[in-house]
Amino acid sequence: DEYTVADERGWNPLILSRVILGRINHCDDKFPKGDELMKTCMGGGYHSILGNREKVKGTFREFIVFDSDQVYPEYIVWYSRIEP
């Protein structure tokens, strides 16, 4: 929900994808160095990054890949939020 904006109907899009993560570089730094992390996946022995924002900020875990061949977008799910 952090990265989406509702359309005129109040619906938000979510792209549900199959992703091959391979060897994962786990990162739970509060202020990660993006360039250094990217280099670990661009010839540095890792295939993806797990940004553990859940552990650091109490939000969500983020999985990051840099090779589009690792991602297969399968569905677009439209949803509306219900405020508590």
Side-chain angles (χ1 to χ4, degrees):
D1 248 7
E2 290 182 70
Y3 304 112
T4 184
V5 176
D7 67 5
E8 65 279 350
R9 300 169 294 181
W11 293 7
N12 298 62
L14 175 124
I15 300 173
L16 186 62
S17 301
R18 293 179 187 256
V19 181
I20 297 178
L21 298 172
R23 187 165 178 232
I24 303 169
N25 184 356
H26 294 261
C27 176
D28 58 6
D29 296 339
K30 190 166 189 173
F31 300 103
K33 296 178 179 145
D35 290 343
E36 290 179 20
L37 286 170
M38 185 172 70
K39 287 178 188 174
T40 68
C41 291
M42 309 297 278
Y46 290 96
H47 304 105
S48 61
I49 298 168
L50 165 56
N52 197 344
R53 311 311 291 157
E54 182 178 44
K55 179 178 178 183
V56 176
K57 292 195 172 193
T59 58
F60 305 100
R61 296 184 309 158
E62 297 180 349
F63 296 89
I64 304 153
V65 295
F66 297 93
D67 183 350
S68 62
D69 289 337
Q70 291 175 244
V71 181
Y72 178 77
E74 192 156 2
Y75 300 101
I76 297 178
V77 178
W78 290 93
Y79 67 95
S80 61
R81 294 184 70 198
I82 299 173
E83 297 297 328

